[in-house]
Amino acid sequence: MDFTRRAALMTSAAIASSVLFPERSFAQETPRKGGVFSVHYGAEQRMLNPSLQASTGVYIVGGKIQEPLVDLDARGQTVGVLAESWESSPDGKTITFKLRQGVTWHDGKPFTSADVQFTAMNMWKKILNYGSTLQLFLTAVDTPDPLTAVFRYERPMPLNLLLRALPDLGYVSPKHLYENGDIRQNPVNLAPVGTGPFKFVQYERGQHIIADRNPNYWRPNAPYLDRIVWRVITDRAAAAAQLEAGQLHYSPFSGLTISDMARLGKDPRFIVSTKGNEGNARTNTLEFNFRRKELADIRVRKAIAHAINVPFFIENFLGDFAKLGTGPIPSVSTDFYPGADTPQYAYDKALAAKLLDEAGFRAGAGGARFSLRLLPAPWGEDVSLWATFIQQSLSEIGVRVEIVRNDGGGFLKQVYDDHAFDIATGWHQYRNDPAVSTTVWYRSGQPKGAPWTNQWGWTDATIDKIIDDAATEVDPVKRKALYRDFVTRANGELPIWMPIEQIFVTVINAKARNHSNTPRWGSSTWHDLWLAE
Amino acid sequence: MRILGLAGRRLAASIPTLILILIGVFLLLQFAPGDTVDAMMAQMGGGDAATAKELRRFYGLDLSVTAQLGNYLWRLVRFDLGFSSIYGKPVATVIAERLPATILLMTASLSFAFFFGLILGVVAARGVNKWPDTIISSLGLIFYATPSFWFGLMAIVVFSVYLQWLPAGGLEDITVAQTGIWRTIDIAKHLVLPTLTLGLIFLAIYLRIMRASMLEVLNLDFVRTARAKGLDETSVVVRHVLRNALLPMVTLIGLQAGTMLGGSVVVESVFSLPGLGRLAYESVIQRDLNTLLGIIFVSALLVILVNFFVDILYARLDPRISTEG
């Protein structure tokens, strides 16, 4: 009671000062307890447990309810969440985590190292996408006491690689609710139980998901919000209208149309920015199928890259939300970005035509050289616009492009399972460390049917060796140098071209405070988020 | 009793149609590239081939198409609609959760379209070629020609964004818990714009049909007789013309129940309503065959049910129909 009265007094003081000194109000505001935060939720999920499915669609709900061992702070540095400290043995084969004391699950049971052991061995290693690659050489997790978890690896695991991966791939689930029965079919997957600041309340299919404040949260005085509501809105224009009508506060991960984001950016009621999404960088791709004899010729791939005016496309179609990309590791990756002095392909139509002539594909009747089937992924307007732009650009050098549109399932099946494409375009999402998200696009020997892996029919012993060496290199400086070699080789051989770099765009109501303050804010816990009156 | 016999025969006759539709849709969906596991992978943002294989076995997708179809029909015979792979629940439960919103929306839109279509049609017919007719007919044409998604979005912009009178979407306000009459009012408020959006195009159709059939009946001999008897114009219209002119309108309800389910996909998406239309769209995208077939089964039942009532209504309006049957 006392606290509420004090909070009320402080709030009224804040309001008074904001009237007197409006320009100072932001800095002087005191966080307000209470309020309901409404989030735009574009696609429904089959599960909400981030220990089982690594995707932003899951984190945006599950990341408020469950917590990872570590997360990233405002400067992008690793900070402990369920783990307080960590250390690696010199050979990189043993990594020890000290866990936080006094943390309980939402059902009241204590959080211990047994939960970490169970989750790592049964979920991360066996089920979690990307996790199964990351933890491939994990042999055991020892639990000498309830607050210590010792990860044992068969091959050296670079500590920095693990720490960069764990914010996304290190969510912990309660062992006592999962140890019996089939993990995939457990009803807890859709009614998650965690240690986070919000407790799951309800999932009404097609309508909303609700989570309420966890009164026993381990961070003192957190969270501020009473409730978070995720509203399922599939239509982008409808979501923009609901933001304007005040029914929604936040649309994450570029959930609106490009034109609506640009329009709302001029409205003082909203903040439209890429801030808080630096950890969710993505590049637009152009993937070449090496089974086509024309595309197996490096001169043709280079000609295609030279024929497309990327700066023109970015300026006229993507606006402020994108920039010129320089390869598979985006510039936001402070740990690994090699700079722009790797092989690049500037717009040069004459050079493109010359390369095609040299490769023996001379213009025939009507100026046509050969034709290609282009499969654009159905995610995002930018991919669709980019596909049309490729089609028009290539027609100018005599390459006919037929665009074949599919929905999500159809696209993955045709490209990654049936290999029924000549060129394909979609997104590559970078996950803080190339070993987690990127090298599988280039490493040969990927099993057929695995989406977002090397299904181009490209094999290169040099790049395979670089990838394997970098994955187990414990010295951070040597690792960075290896990834520089990786980008140089990848850009030079061009099995995939990644010419555009984008960061997801956030649209949020200006009343929200403490938002976008970490590089993966949309996925984080929101324990300090609050709403001004 | 005769009416019921007629209706019963109609119901029995629709069963083979229903089965043919289900088999047709099942086969049609086989032509779409990718299955539910591919869609799942797309949603997850990646996964390995071994997981995909295991999931395919789990959902029975490794069987041949005929075996899958056989399994499905055999389950259907036992009134089991199967298990939804997107929702992780029995299809019957998933549909039961979505059905109320769709039925609410359909009933509201049909009643709105029918009622106002009837009134406007009568007014237009009575003032044929005068200004009320011109205004009503032009309005009807505009409603008919406007795509419903555009109309829906414009209605949101005007009534929700600028005027802030009505909510922009959803079925009810979930930020405050409401019960009883307040909840009913809240849901009704949320339904105003979707009902208008879905109903206007049908209103335009009803209005034109009503106008035409009124004009036709007004010229028949028995109307002239009624007038000659000295009845005033209102009783002529209400007692003699309306009842006869209503027949084509009632026919249209039966026909449009199905169309309306289709139209609801757009309206449910624009207004974020948790209905069957959006569920159907989602199941196609996610290749959730069981749910899609379940929805088709239930929608077909709905359409059959509406037509059943139309048949009964028909017999009430025109007694000749039930005796001929």
Side-chain angles (χ1 to χ4, degrees):
Chain A
M1 274 300 106
D2 191 41
F3 176 78
T4 326
R5 201 191 306 148
R6 194 165 67 226
L9 281 171
M10 283 159 84
T11 315
S12 52
I15 291 168
S17 74
S18 72
V19 173
L20 291 172
F21 309 107
E23 74 281 4
R24 275 206 233 157
S25 62
F26 200 83
Q28 292 191 344
E29 269 177 334
T30 315
R32 181 177 76 99
K33 281 251 178 193
V36 179
F37 190 68
S38 301
V39 183
H40 173 201
Y41 203 45
E44 294 194 72
Q45 302 295 322
R46 296 171 206 239
M47 61 170 69
L48 297 176
N49 184 344
S51 333
L52 294 171
Q53 183 174 322
S55 68
T56 48
V58 172
Y59 300 141
I60 194 165
V61 179
K64 322 296 168 255
I65 297 160
Q66 287 178 249
E67 290 177 304
L69 286 179
V70 300
D71 204 346
L72 302 173
D73 69 5
R75 289 168 301 128
Q77 303 299 310
T78 309
V79 54
V81 181
L82 289 179
E84 278 187 318
S85 64
W86 41 85
E87 64 177 353
S88 170
S89 64
D91 65 355
K93 289 187 175 178
T94 308
I95 295 176
T96 307
F97 286 93
K98 286 280 177 200
L99 306 179
R100 189 172 297 280
Q101 205 168 7
V103 176
T104 53
W105 295 101
H106 291 157
D107 60 6
K109 297 262 186 349
F111 159 75
T112 69
S113 55
D115 295 312
V116 177
Q117 180 196 44
F118 179 83
T119 308
M121 296 307 292
N122 297 292
M123 295 178 165
W124 301 349
K125 190 175 162 66
K126 287 187 186 153
I127 300 176
L128 181 65
N129 48 322
Y130 291 107
S132 44
T133 326
L134 178 76
Q135 308 289 8
L136 189 62
F137 299 111
L138 176 69
T139 49
V141 177
D142 297 342
T143 54
D145 67 71
L147 295 177
T148 308
V150 183
F151 286 61
R152 298 198 179 280
Y153 289 91
E154 201 180 307
R155 297 189 189 177
M157 163 63 86
L159 180 63
N160 281 326
L161 162 59
L162 187 64
L163 290 177
R164 268 187 292 267
L166 283 182
D168 278 346
L169 306 176
Y171 281 86
V172 186
S173 285
K175 180 187 179 189
H176 63 276
L177 295 177
Y178 276 99
E179 58 192 337
N180 298 316
D182 185 349
I183 290 174
R184 284 180 208 276
Q185 294 310 306
N186 197 316
V188 182
N189 293 344
L190 280 166
V193 171
T195 57
F198 295 93
K199 285 170 99 158
F200 175 85
V201 175
Q202 187 193 32
Y203 187 175
E204 197 73 53
R205 281 286 179 180
Q207 288 198 70
H208 56 251
I209 304 171
I210 297 175
D212 279 351
R213 170 210 304 277
N214 172 11
N216 302 316
Y217 188 49
W218 57 267
R219 284 185 228 250
N221 267 333
Y224 293 109
L225 298 168
D226 283 339
R227 172 175 275 194
I228 301 175
V229 175
W230 292 265
R231 300 166 55 95
V232 179
I233 304 166
T234 44
D235 187 278
R236 286 166 184 249
Q242 295 208 17
L243 270 160
E244 286 188 89
Q247 275 185 291
L248 272 185
H249 292 110
Y250 172 52
S251 178
F253 303 122
S254 307
L256 306 180
T257 59
I258 296 172
S259 58
D260 271 335
M261 290 189 289
R263 185 170 59 85
L264 294 179
K266 295 185 191 112
D267 188 328
R269 292 176 298 160
F270 304 100
I271 292 163
V272 178
S273 135
T274 55
K275 192 168 178 297
N277 294 322
E278 296 83 355
N280 293 110
R282 63 177 207 257
T283 40
N284 289 71
T285 62
L286 189 59
E287 301 147 32
F288 298 102
N289 192 345
F290 280 63
R291 295 165 191 90
R292 274 288 300 252
K293 68 172 187 338
E294 293 90 341
L295 297 174
D297 189 323
I298 179 125
R299 288 167 294 192
V300 174
R301 300 197 297 277
K302 285 183 173 170
I304 288 175
H306 279 302
I308 300 168
N309 189 348
V310 186
F312 177 89
F313 176 74
I314 293 175
E315 195 185 326
N316 292 284
F317 293 92
L318 305 178
D320 302 335
F321 303 124
K323 65 181 201 177
L324 197 64
T326 54
I329 299 180
S331 62
V332 287
S333 173
T334 43
D335 296 309
F336 296 109
Y337 182 60
D341 54 349
T342 51
Q344 302 295 328
Y345 301 90
Y347 176 56
D348 188 341
K349 239 165 58 177
L351 178 59
K354 194 173 142 253
L355 282 164
L356 287 177
D357 286 343
E358 276 174 22
F361 302 106
R362 297 191 172 274
R369 298 172 195 265
F370 55 90
S371 45
L372 295 172
R373 270 162 52 95
L374 166 62
L375 271 68
W379 15 98
E381 258 179 302
D382 56 330
V383 181
S384 179
L385 292 169
W386 175 233
T388 316
F389 191 74
I390 293 170
Q391 183 184 41
Q392 289 171 359
S393 306
L394 295 192
S395 77
E396 290 181 22
I397 55 162
V399 177
R400 293 250 161 82
V401 173
E402 180 202 354
I403 295 181
V404 184
R405 292 185 194 278
N406 281 286
D407 57 7
F411 172 77
L412 292 187
K413 168 91 175 149
Q414 301 220 302
V415 175
Y416 294 96
D417 204 355
D418 297 347
H419 303 148
F421 70 106
D422 297 324
I423 42 180
T425 175
W427 291 344
H428 158 245
Q429 190 164 338
Y430 182 74
R431 292 174 186 253
N432 299 317
D433 194 299
V436 180
S437 56
T438 308
T439 51
V440 289
W441 290 67
Y442 296 86
R443 178 74 172 84
S444 65
Q446 303 292 338
K448 187 169 172 267
W452 296 293
T453 63
N454 178 356
Q455 300 291 336
W456 338 120
W458 184 58
T459 48
D460 182 86
T462 315
I463 205 129
D464 286 354
K465 185 171 181 326
I466 300 174
I467 289 171
D468 294 346
D469 288 349
T472 51
E473 176 55 61
V474 183
D475 181 351
V477 178
K478 285 187 191 154
R479 267 196 100 210
K480 184 168 179 174
L482 281 168
Y483 282 123
R484 188 189 170 79
D485 297 346
F486 165 74
V487 174
T488 308
R489 182 82 187 164
N491 281 2
E493 292 295 313
L494 216 62
I496 316 154
W497 186 37
M498 301 198 184
I500 304 170
E501 201 175 300
Q502 298 199 57
I503 297 177
F504 282 111
V505 180
T506 292
V507 180
I508 194 162
N509 193 300
K511 285 179 187 165
R513 298 287 186 271
N514 285 345
H515 67 85
S516 313
N517 52 8
T518 66
R520 58 188 287 282
W521 186 76
S523 305
S524 72
T525 58
W526 298 357
H527 63 270
D528 57 349
L529 172 68
W530 60 282
L531 274 174
E533 296 279 4
Chain B
M1 261 3 267
R2 245 185 205 144
I3 301 175
L4 285 182
L6 171 84
R9 277 200 303 281
R10 287 276 169 89
L11 279 181
S14 48
I15 288 173
T17 320
L18 187 56
I19 291 173
L20 275 178
I21 291 173
L22 287 177
I23 294 177
V25 171
F26 186 94
L27 295 177
L28 213 59
L29 230 83
Q30 301 298 326
F31 289 112
D35 56 22
T36 193
V37 175
D38 290 310
M40 215 180 269
M41 290 290 184
Q43 196 185 54
M44 293 197 319
D48 54 77
T51 318
K53 203 173 161 194
E54 195 182 319
L55 284 169
R56 284 212 169 81
R57 199 171 47 239
F58 180 80
Y59 290 116
L61 294 168
D62 50 345
L63 302 174
S64 69
V65 174
T66 33
Q68 287 182 48
L69 179 60
N71 280 348
Y72 184 79
L73 291 177
W74 173 235
R75 278 203 308 269
L76 201 65
V77 170
R78 293 172 291 157
F79 293 103
D80 175 6
L81 290 178
F83 200 78
S84 157
S85 55
I86 352 175
Y87 293 109
K89 294 187 209 179
V91 170
T93 319
V94 175
I95 293 178
E97 287 168 355
R98 296 295 189 97
L99 204 53
T102 295
I103 289 185
L104 258 177
L105 181 65
M106 269 180 66
T107 321
S109 308
L110 261 182
S111 330
F112 161 77
F114 188 83
F115 183 72
F116 286 97
L118 185 132
I119 291 180
L120 291 176
V122 170
V123 173
R126 303 247 351 241
V128 69
N129 293 335
K130 294 197 200 102
W131 64 267
D133 180 33
T134 315
I135 293 178
I136 291 174
S137 297
S138 319
L139 266 182
L141 205 63
I142 292 173
F143 293 157
Y144 188 73
T146 314
S148 55
F149 73 89
W150 186 84
F151 189 86
L153 286 172
M154 287 308 118
I156 292 178
V157 167
V158 174
F159 294 105
S160 310
V161 176
Y162 285 110
L163 299 172
Q164 309 241 330
W165 288 350
L166 292 163
L171 187 60
E172 58 184 307
D173 189 355
I174 29 163
T175 51
V176 278
Q178 285 166 319
T179 46
I181 182 79
W182 293 111
R183 184 162 180 242
T184 315
I185 292 175
D186 184 45
I187 293 178
K189 265 171 74 181
H190 280 80
L191 276 178
V192 172
L193 292 183
T195 303
L196 282 179
T197 307
L198 183 59
L200 278 180
I201 194 164
F202 295 96
L203 177 123
I205 297 170
Y206 285 130
L207 145 106
R208 290 190 71 84
I209 297 290
M210 192 65 204
R211 180 177 172 274
S213 85
M214 278 285 288
L215 287 177
E216 191 187 324
V217 179
L218 276 171
N219 287 331
L220 293 180
D221 287 344
F222 74 91
V223 179
R224 201 171 303 149
T225 314
R227 283 199 181 121
K229 283 194 301 190
L231 282 181
D232 67 282
E233 194 61 19
T234 315
S235 19
V236 171
V237 167
V238 174
R239 286 200 201 150
H240 297 274
V241 184
L242 207 53
R243 182 162 181 162
N244 288 289
L246 267 178
L247 271 180
M249 290 279 280
V250 173
T251 318
L252 219 56
I253 293 189
L255 288 173
Q256 289 189 334
T259 321
M260 209 161 231
L261 271 173
S264 67
V265 178
V266 172
V267 174
E268 284 168 10
S269 300
V270 170
F271 290 97
S272 347
L273 291 173
L276 274 191
R278 220 175 83 206
L279 183 68
Y281 176 75
E282 205 98 309
S283 357
V284 174
I285 296 291
Q286 303 277 345
R287 304 283 191 280
D288 188 352
L289 200 52
N290 279 348
T291 308
L292 187 68
L293 291 172
I295 295 168
I296 288 163
F297 182 73
V298 171
S299 332
L301 282 183
L302 262 180
V303 172
I304 289 170
L305 209 70
V306 171
N307 279 289
F308 175 80
F309 286 116
V310 166
D311 281 347
I312 292 179
L313 206 63
Y314 241 64
R316 282 276 300 158
L317 286 171
D318 189 345
R320 283 172 303 175
I321 291 170
S322 58
T323 48
E324 280 165 10

